[in-house]
Amino acid sequence: MTSAASNLAILGLQWGDEGKGKLVDLLSARFRQVVRFQGGNNAGHTVVVDGQTIALHQVPSGALHPGCFLVVGSGVVLNLEVFLKELENLRTRGFDLSGRLLISSKAHVILPHHIALDQWREGGANKIGTTGRGIGPAYEMKAARMGLRMGDLLHPETMADRIRLGYEEVKILLGGTATLPPLEAITENLIKLAQPLLPLIGDTQDHLWKAWRKGDSILFEGAQATLLDIDHGTYPYVTSSNCSIGGLFAGTGLPPKALHHVLGVAKAYTTRVGAGPFPSELLDATGEKLRQVGREFGTTTGRPRRCGWFDAVITRHACRTNGVDGLGIMKLDVMDGFPEVGMVVGYRDGEGGTLESLPACAADWAQVQPVVKTFKGWDAPTRGITDPKDLPAEARSYLAALCDEAETPLAYLSTGPDRNEGFVPAGSILEPLLR
Ligand code: IMP
């Protein structure tokens, strides 16, 4: 893909784990620049290449394609130890990133006391089921102007002073209930860890602007998803970054006109990990069947995911929020063999009225009654189907209703985990890339 008018964002439309990784894998080879713009090692994405399984948390997925230049944007928070391990793991598997990785000097560093604070809070009454990786506190320190940026690593002489600000605050919050490593030890360890990364730190905004102007194709790889967005998700049960479209511009420094298409990714059903509203959740044997067949256990923490029917209300909200041009619908095959499949097509409030938009507060979410529409299931398997004509009629009706409810056309249908299990329908925004 070489035309200047072909930059694409891939964003999650539910609560994460939609299967964005498969699409990023399929697509990244077609792009020159692959960019992460928010989140940290709370994201997890497993790729299988030549029979080798590689887990990526912070390195952009284009790592496996030698032609891709990888960018870690300013909106990301990085755990250096984890990042170095990922790089080492990639290197030993034959994926050398030298000369094709740039980390924003404005990205923030996740520090040991951020992790301690995250885990301490998760042990208390206000637990929200975070990944415990220090993501929230790292973003808090950023907003409180007490964060450590990657660029600060180039100034070891002032590093202890930068770290001290947040360190002292966290100590007060913890009130002696958790032991922190001494500040000197944190600083020394960081100086040591940072050494191999120093040559990779730079001005990613300038890099991306130049790449865009000269016509390089750019793929923006979202982490987490719209319903976990700090503004537009199910607050307070969200992550601490903007995982929807706004985060892309804040987290790269590129203007909106540098983006041309948005691919929104959703599972054919819904999952979420951690606490929080989930109106279409199935707490019965059907939910368990989705979990087992779909192998719905977290790649980052191993936690069993909560499972439920496709929720068209949240997906429509996510499509509107992000201006989604086409839907990537994943894991349709997991729903094979269900006698009936449901879809949440509306919400009623506590008084039986219809909700036109998503509630803002947890108290209002607690009142939501889902309106479930039932569809006849399909007997014939969809696993591995690569031609839309081969889909059972019932599966076709289900998908048509799903796209209709989401007000967005289908761009890709995944019918299994392998790269070749799925198809790009005629007229899809992905047609020039994947057909
Ligand atoms: P945090 O991002 O670790 O602060 O976690 C906040 C919420 O976001 C929790 O419910 C997590 O389970 C959820 N979360 C964070 N990252 C992911 C992800 O990559 N997939 C799914 N859920 C996530």
Side-chain angles (χ1 to χ4, degrees):
M1 188 154 179
T2 50
S3 113
S6 54
N7 301 335
L8 177 76
I10 300 187
L11 302 175
L13 302 180
Q14 297 162 320
W15 281 284
D17 309 313
E18 292 90 355
K20 298 182 286 291
K22 175 173 170 178
L23 280 164
V24 175
D25 291 341
L26 280 174
L27 287 163
S28 50
R30 309 297 180 117
F31 289 82
R32 175 72 185 117
Q33 310 280 335
V34 181
V35 188
R36 273 284 304 270
F37 53 87
Q38 46 71 228
N41 58 323
N42 46 350
H45 159 198
T46 306
V47 282
V48 182
V49 185
D50 299 334
Q52 301 190 77
T53 303
I54 303 183
L56 298 174
H57 297 283
Q58 301 177 117
V59 173
S61 310
L64 309 182
H65 302 287
C68 288
F69 193 98
L70 314 176
V71 177
V72 177
S74 57
V76 169
V77 290
L78 273 187
N79 179 317
L80 300 194
E81 210 167 335
V82 174
F83 194 73
L84 286 165
K85 274 197 195 128
E86 267 178 63
L87 293 184
E88 181 54 18
N89 191 18
L90 282 162
R91 203 185 56 76
T92 54
R93 312 273 189 116
F95 300 102
D96 187 2
L97 305 191
S98 352
R100 59 184 191 100
L101 172 62
L102 190 64
I103 305 168
S104 171
S105 48
K106 300 181 206 166
H108 278 244
V109 182
I110 302 171
L111 296 165
H113 42 288
H114 300 159
I115 302 171
L117 181 58
D118 192 1
Q119 294 179 356
W120 175 76
R121 283 181 182 146
E122 284 296 298
N126 290 330
K127 179 180 167 67
I128 67 156
T130 73
T131 59
R133 305 284 154 99
I135 308 298
Y139 279 113
E140 284 168 58
M141 290 299 164
K142 172 178 173 173
R145 292 153 294 184
M146 291 182 196
L148 184 78
R149 288 172 144 194
M150 289 301 289
D152 293 322
L153 301 175
L154 299 163
H155 302 281
E157 68 292 350
T158 54
M159 203 152 47
D161 290 336
R162 285 286 334 146
I163 297 172
R164 181 173 293 111
L165 295 167
Y167 182 81
E168 296 299 341
E169 291 263 327
V170 171
K171 245 167 95 179
I172 294 168
L173 285 170
L174 292 177
T177 52
T179 333
L180 294 178
L183 177 63
E184 298 68 35
I186 293 177
T187 312
E188 270 170 38
N189 188 42
L190 213 57
I191 292 174
K192 210 158 44 174
L193 280 174
Q195 283 314 305
L197 298 175
L198 299 183
L200 307 175
I201 301 171
D203 188 340
T204 51
Q205 181 181 22
D206 181 62
H207 168 89
L208 285 172
W209 191 85
K210 287 178 178 150
W212 168 46
R213 298 318 295 162
K214 80 173 183 329
D216 272 8
S217 52
I218 309 175
L219 180 67
F220 301 94
E221 180 186 357
Q224 290 84 47
T226 310
L227 274 295
L228 288 173
D229 183 286
I230 182 97
D231 286 293
H232 304 294
T234 45
Y235 190 89
Y237 301 98
V238 292
T239 191
S240 300
S241 63
N242 283 114
C243 351
S244 58
I245 197 77
L248 187 158
F249 305 109
T252 58
L254 283 176
K257 62 173 81 149
L259 178 68
H260 308 106
H261 296 291
V262 180
L263 175 67
V265 188
K267 271 183 226 181
Y269 51 98
T270 312
T271 64
R272 98 169 279 177
V273 278
F278 185 175
S280 71
E281 184 168 18
L282 293 163
L283 295 165
D284 55 8
T286 309
E288 188 55 33
K289 187 171 167 189
L290 284 171
R291 181 157 41 248
Q292 294 305 329
V293 179
R295 298 193 189 172
E296 297 295 353
F297 299 89
T299 39
T300 296
T301 58
R303 291 179 289 177
R305 296 179 184 141
R306 299 160 64 193
C307 296
W309 295 132
F310 184 85
D311 184 334
V313 183
I314 60 157
T315 314
R316 183 165 56 235
H317 161 77
C319 286
R320 290 179 182 179
T321 305
N322 298 307
V324 172
D325 297 301
L327 289 172
I329 297 297
M330 316 304 284
K331 296 181 108 169
L332 182 74
D333 54 296
V334 170
M335 300 176 88
D336 288 354
F338 282 72
E340 287 186 331
V341 293
M343 184 187 295
V344 169
V345 294
Y347 288 171
R348 288 200 213 291
D349 62 20
E351 273 101 53
T354 302
L355 287 175
E356 294 297 333
S357 58
L358 298 193
C361 306
D364 294 327
W365 273 106
Q367 304 299 317
V368 164
Q369 303 290 331
V371 179
V372 181
K373 185 169 175 183
T374 305
F375 295 76
K376 193 170 176 307
W378 41 96
D379 292 335
T382 64
R383 176 74 195 255
I385 284 181
T386 54
D387 187 331
K389 290 199 287 296
D390 295 337
L391 282 177
E394 295 83 0
R396 220 174 299 146
S397 313
Y398 174 75
L399 273 176
L402 185 158
C403 292
D404 201 38
E405 291 286 344
E407 303 168 341
T408 312
L410 186 67
Y412 179 82
L413 181 74
S414 180
T415 55
D418 292 343
R419 298 179 129 246
N420 54 359
E421 290 178 311
F423 62 80
V424 175
S428 156
I429 53 160
L430 299 183
E431 221 176 357
L433 292 166
L434 290 184
R435 275 191 142 205

